[in-house]
């Protein structure tokens, strides 16, 4: 990490063009899928972000060789272990590192992983019970302690019908495990996010050859396993990051700029639908071109109420950024998250900057528009909350200091370089005193209002 705290000041409208990086949430399971083969897997369009670096470290601790060449990663799991290296650090753990559980278990009949890291946006941290219960239905037995989870499947995994609730990560884990399982696995409540479809596309290229069927309308996925036969290697290009694209689209809209988001338009039109629908309702003009998406706000920002949900509904990972966007709308909007408990953690800090809200529950707020935001000292409590505070800093009067900025670096490639194109000035600051968020007046105004 480059710093704990950063100061952002000075900005002009977000205009020009920006290259959208490969999707973090697609790359992590694609990297884990290399465990299903002893051949070489080449991933193109991999973002250079800290979460990917941590996933590389995790895979290497299991014996995987990973070579980095620009935006390309070459992975080969010729000889892998069921347990991570005892020298690997807890600090290298991410939510994505838990995705090695399914493929390791399917290949070696045993797997030991640490509890997942990532953003603490659920009570008690990231839940892993969905993963464990699904794999137990496929024949695994559980051993667990405070730091680690160990699963065994002495007779190998077997196909089954899984009707229980499935998160995105659980769906990915089960799909990968089912590729090497004996028989057919049917997931009836599967997540069907674009990142999962991208994983299935790569698995088919690795030798599943259409043995993974997807019904996106019924949230159903069927996998015919290979009974322990390893898959082949392949070369695969990671899809664009729809969350990064959505963040910068909001950035252009909130600052009154005109921005071209450079990405494959054929893929973009499939993965960006729910976000673009809401942007258009807010008065933002969007148009696909031969090399990406043109975004430009025309007139005032209209208030748009949103409830998040699984794809193809509005993504929870863009809700914090939308909250910031709605502070500048001409009216009030009501926003609700159905996925996580702490998705509104950044509201406290937006209040410090001058925004006003009405709280209905931990998952639902009304945003009062027409806020005159002012630069303040705030904290990025998680990755997407940090991105939302960056957007707020772009329209705030004065300089904004963001503590724990390393969260943002987990998911946004070259964010400083991209923002500098719009005249944003960054300054790394020495670590601040623990628990300090600004002046007493700012603190009490935040609490009282």
């Amino acid at each position: 990490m480059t710093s704990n705290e950063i100061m952002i000041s000075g900005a002009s409208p977000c205009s020009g063009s920006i290259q959208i990086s490969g999707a973090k949430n697609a790359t992590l399971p694609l990297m884990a899928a290399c465990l299903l083969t002893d051949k070489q897997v080449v991933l193109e369009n991999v973002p250079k972000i800290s979460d990917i670096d941590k996933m590389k470290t995790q895979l290497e601790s299991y014996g995987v060789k990973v070579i980095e060449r620009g935006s390309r990663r070459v992975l080969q799991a010729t000889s892998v272990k069921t347990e991570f290296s005892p020298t690997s650090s807890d600090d290298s753990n991410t939510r994505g590192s838990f995705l090695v559980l399914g493929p390791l278990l399917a290949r070696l009949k045993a797997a030991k992983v640490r509890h997942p890291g990532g953003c603490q946006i659920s009570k008690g941290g990231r839940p892993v019970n969905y993963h464990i219960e699904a794999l137990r239905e496929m024949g695994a037995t559980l051993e667990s302690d405070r730091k680690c989870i160990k699963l065994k499947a002495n007779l190998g995994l077997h196909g089954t019908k899984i009707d229980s609730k499935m998160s995105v990560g659980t769906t990915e884990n089960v799909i990968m495990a089912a590729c090497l399982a004996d028989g057919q696995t049917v997931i009836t409540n599967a997540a069907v996010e674009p990142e999962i479809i991208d994983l299935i596309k790569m698995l088919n290229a690795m030798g599943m050859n259409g043995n993974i069927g997807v019904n996106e309308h019924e949230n159903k996925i069927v996998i015919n396993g290979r009974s322990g036969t390893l898959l082949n290697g392949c070369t695969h290009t990671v899809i664009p990051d729809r969350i990064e694209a959505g963040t910068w689209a909001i950035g252009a809209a909130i600052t009154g700029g005109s921005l071209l988001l450079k990405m494959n338009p054929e893929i973009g039109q499939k993965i960006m639908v729910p976000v673009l629908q809401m942007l258009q309702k807010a008065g933002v003009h969007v148009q696909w071109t031969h090399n990406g998406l043109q975004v430009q706000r025309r007139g005032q920002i209209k208030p748009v109420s949103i409830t998040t949900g699984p794809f193809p509904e509005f993504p929870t990972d863009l809700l914090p950024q939308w909250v910031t966007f709605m502070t500048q709308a001409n009216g009030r909007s009501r926003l609700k998250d159905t996925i996580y408990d702490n998705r509104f953690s950044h509201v406290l800090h937006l209040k410090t900057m001058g925004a006003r809200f009405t709280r209905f529950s931990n998952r639902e707020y009304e945003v009062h528009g027409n806020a005159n935001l002012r630069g303040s000292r705030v904290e990025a409590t998680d990755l997407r909350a940090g991105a939302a505070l960056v957007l707020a800093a772009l329209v705030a009067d004065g300089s904004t200091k963001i503590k724990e900025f390393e969260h943002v670096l987990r998911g946004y490639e070259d964010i400083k370089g991209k923002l500098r194109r719009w005249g944003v000035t960054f300054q790394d600051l020495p670590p601040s005193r623990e628990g300090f968020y600004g002046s007493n007046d700012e603190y009490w105004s935040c609490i009282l209002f």
Side-chain angles (χ1 to χ4, degrees):
M1 303 300 177
T2 57
S3 70
N4 287 327
E5 189 170 5
I6 198 165
M7 184 166 68
I8 300 177
S9 57
S12 55
C14 298
S15 297
S17 65
I18 192 169
Q19 182 66 49
I20 299 303
S21 303
K24 179 195 82 143
N25 290 336
T27 305
L28 294 173
L30 294 174
M31 292 178 72
C34 79
L35 294 165
L36 299 172
T37 179
D38 57 4
K39 303 297 191 296
Q40 195 174 86
V41 173
V42 180
L43 296 178
E44 307 278 7
N45 197 34
V46 175
K48 179 61 178 175
I49 53 177
S50 59
D51 266 15
I52 300 303
D53 293 337
K54 290 181 178 180
M55 186 64 168
K56 173 180 178 289
T57 300
Q58 285 290 307
L59 287 171
E60 289 174 333
S61 77
Y62 288 98
V64 179
K65 293 182 179 179
V66 185
I67 300 173
E68 179 180 340
R69 297 171 181 164
S71 63
R72 172 184 291 182
R73 300 294 183 277
V74 181
L75 307 96
Q76 190 154 10
T78 303
S79 178
V80 293
K81 305 171 292 185
T82 60
E83 298 188 13
F84 49 82
S85 168
T87 61
S88 65
S89 169
D90 286 339
D91 293 337
S92 66
N93 203 27
T94 68
R95 178 191 70 86
S97 65
F98 203 72
L99 293 170
V100 305
L101 184 63
L104 270 181
L105 181 63
R107 178 171 173 174
L108 302 178
K109 299 182 180 180
K112 183 178 180 180
V113 300
R114 289 192 177 93
H115 286 277
C119 300
Q120 299 301 307
I121 47 181
S122 293
K123 293 179 179 178
R126 294 274 185 172
V128 298
N129 54 306
Y130 297 152
H131 299 254
I132 294 170
E133 289 306 314
L135 292 170
R136 289 176 71 174
E137 289 186 51
M138 299 177 70
T141 57
L142 170 68
E143 297 176 14
S144 182
D145 58 32
R146 291 176 59 187
K147 286 191 174 182
C148 301
I149 292 173
K150 187 173 183 178
L151 291 178
K152 290 185 176 181
N154 294 332
L155 300 178
L157 297 177
H158 58 77
T160 187
K161 185 177 181 180
I162 302 176
D163 296 317
S164 56
K165 183 178 179 181
M166 300 284 279
S167 66
V168 172
T170 306
T171 301
E172 292 164 341
N173 242 330
V174 170
I175 289 172
M176 289 187 282
C179 287
L180 301 188
D182 182 24
Q184 185 179 86
T185 300
V186 179
I187 310 172
T188 58
N189 289 303
V192 290
E193 266 64 10
E195 295 78 17
I196 290 175
I197 303 304
D198 197 39
L199 172 63
I200 292 173
K201 181 180 178 181
M202 189 179 90
L203 292 172
N204 279 327
M206 293 174 68
M208 289 305 290
N209 297 325
N211 278 302
I212 306 178
V214 183
N215 187 325
E216 295 184 46
H217 299 291
E218 296 182 3
N219 293 85
K220 182 178 180 181
I221 299 176
V222 179
I223 308 103
N224 295 313
R226 290 165 55 99
S227 302
T229 301
L230 295 181
L231 303 185
N232 303 319
C234 75
T235 298
H236 180 81
T237 301
V238 181
I239 61 172
D241 194 322
R242 61 193 173 108
I243 306 303
E244 185 197 19
T247 300
W248 298 135
I250 293 172
I254 200 171
T255 61
S258 177
L259 183 64
L260 175 65
L261 307 174
K262 298 174 70 174
M263 70 179 102
N264 184 318
E266 183 178 351
I267 297 175
Q269 290 180 64
K270 296 177 181 178
I271 67 178
M272 295 291 294
V273 172
V275 178
L276 299 189
Q277 288 176 341
M278 297 299 105
L279 282 170
Q280 289 173 312
K281 288 184 179 180
V284 180
H285 175 72
V286 296
Q287 183 176 356
W288 288 101
T289 69
H290 69 282
N291 61 345
L293 177 69
Q294 189 72 43
V295 180
Q296 183 178 16
R297 190 184 90 210
R298 295 177 176 175
Q300 292 183 319
I301 300 172
K302 300 176 183 177
V304 178
S305 297
I306 280 178
T307 298
T308 66
F311 191 83
E313 296 177 48
F314 194 88
T316 179
D317 279 356
L318 272 176
L319 185 64
Q321 300 90 311
W322 195 265
V323 171
T324 297
F325 187 36
M326 288 296 98
T327 66
Q328 304 303 296
N330 186 29
R332 298 189 179 194
S333 55
R334 190 159 176 165
L335 309 180
K336 181 179 181 180
D337 187 55
T338 65
I339 310 297
Y340 295 114
D341 298 308
N342 297 322
R343 191 49 98 185
F344 289 92
S345 63
H346 66 304
V347 162
L348 184 70
H349 303 282
L350 287 177
K351 285 183 177 180
T352 300
M353 298 180 72
R356 294 181 63 85
F357 302 88
T358 299
R359 181 183 183 275
F360 296 101
S361 72
N362 207 39
R363 292 189 175 202
E364 186 171 7
Y365 281 77
E366 184 178 67
V367 185
H368 303 201
N370 297 310
N372 294 317
L373 300 183
R374 60 183 181 272
S376 304
R377 174 172 273 147
V378 294
E379 180 178 348
T381 52
D382 60 67
L383 167 57
R384 307 306 175 185
L389 294 175
V390 169
L391 294 178
L394 295 182
V395 293
D397 182 21
S399 298
T400 300
K401 299 176 182 178
I402 303 178
K403 185 181 176 183
E404 305 293 345
F405 189 74
E406 60 265 25
H407 282 300
V408 184
L409 303 179
R410 292 181 41 235
Y412 291 89
E413 183 177 24
D414 189 29
I415 184 171
K416 295 181 183 180
K418 290 177 178 179
L419 285 172
R420 280 195 178 105
R421 298 180 187 179
W422 303 315
V424 180
T425 300
F426 287 88
Q427 181 181 347
D428 293 326
L429 302 175
S432 59
R433 298 195 304 274
E434 190 67 27
F436 183 73
Y437 297 95
S439 69
N440 287 334
D441 289 343
E442 287 174 338
Y443 176 80
W444 285 111
S445 67
C446 173
I447 298 297
L448 295 174
F449 301 100

